[in-house]
Amino acid sequence: MSHDVYGVIRKPLVTEKNMHRVEARNEYTFEVKPGANKVEIRTAVEALFKVKVAAVRTITVKGKRKRHGANHHFTSGKKKAIVKLKEGSKIELI
């Protein structure tokens, strides 16, 4: 298990949909390292933001297909984590 919490969490994903998720369900979305597991993500969020995590869900997003003339390639994919916090916990993103 990695102890580098800054290497696990890459950045928070602040979109309109994710902000609604924060207000409605107290869930925050982060881009995480592709090899990170749920335990590492939970530990990193608790250490970085000093909050208690109730649940972690992960999503692997495939890269998009791009075209340059006759050549096709894929952008790199990413991994997202949706982290639900326990009641009373909150993260100030903005």
Side-chain angles (χ1 to χ4, degrees):
M1 182 158 77
S2 173
H3 295 289
D4 180 23
V5 293
Y6 294 102
V8 174
I9 304 292
R10 290 201 170 151
K11 63 183 176 182
L13 298 175
V14 181
T15 64
E16 193 171 330
K17 182 178 180 179
N18 291 339
M19 289 293 95
H20 176 68
R21 195 176 267 150
V22 168
E23 295 167 5
R25 294 180 264 178
N26 202 22
E27 293 178 344
Y28 295 82
T29 307
F30 297 96
E31 183 177 334
V32 296
K33 183 177 75 172
N37 62 35
K38 292 181 181 185
V39 175
E40 291 173 335
I41 295 166
R42 174 190 298 265
T43 305
V45 170
E46 288 179 345
L48 285 174
F49 300 106
K50 308 290 189 263
V51 293
K52 292 292 182 186
V53 174
V56 177
R57 294 181 291 160
T58 59
I59 304 153
T60 303
V61 181
K62 284 186 164 183
K64 294 185 178 182
R65 185 175 183 223
K66 296 291 183 176
R67 181 178 159 194
H68 290 261
N71 301 326
H72 299 310
H73 70 278
F74 287 88
T75 60
S76 59
K78 61 184 171 183
K79 187 170 186 177
K80 297 192 298 186
I82 299 172
V83 178
K84 182 168 181 65
L85 300 184
K86 291 187 177 176
E87 288 294 322
S89 295
K90 186 178 177 185
I91 296 175
E92 289 294 330
L93 292 178
I94 301 173

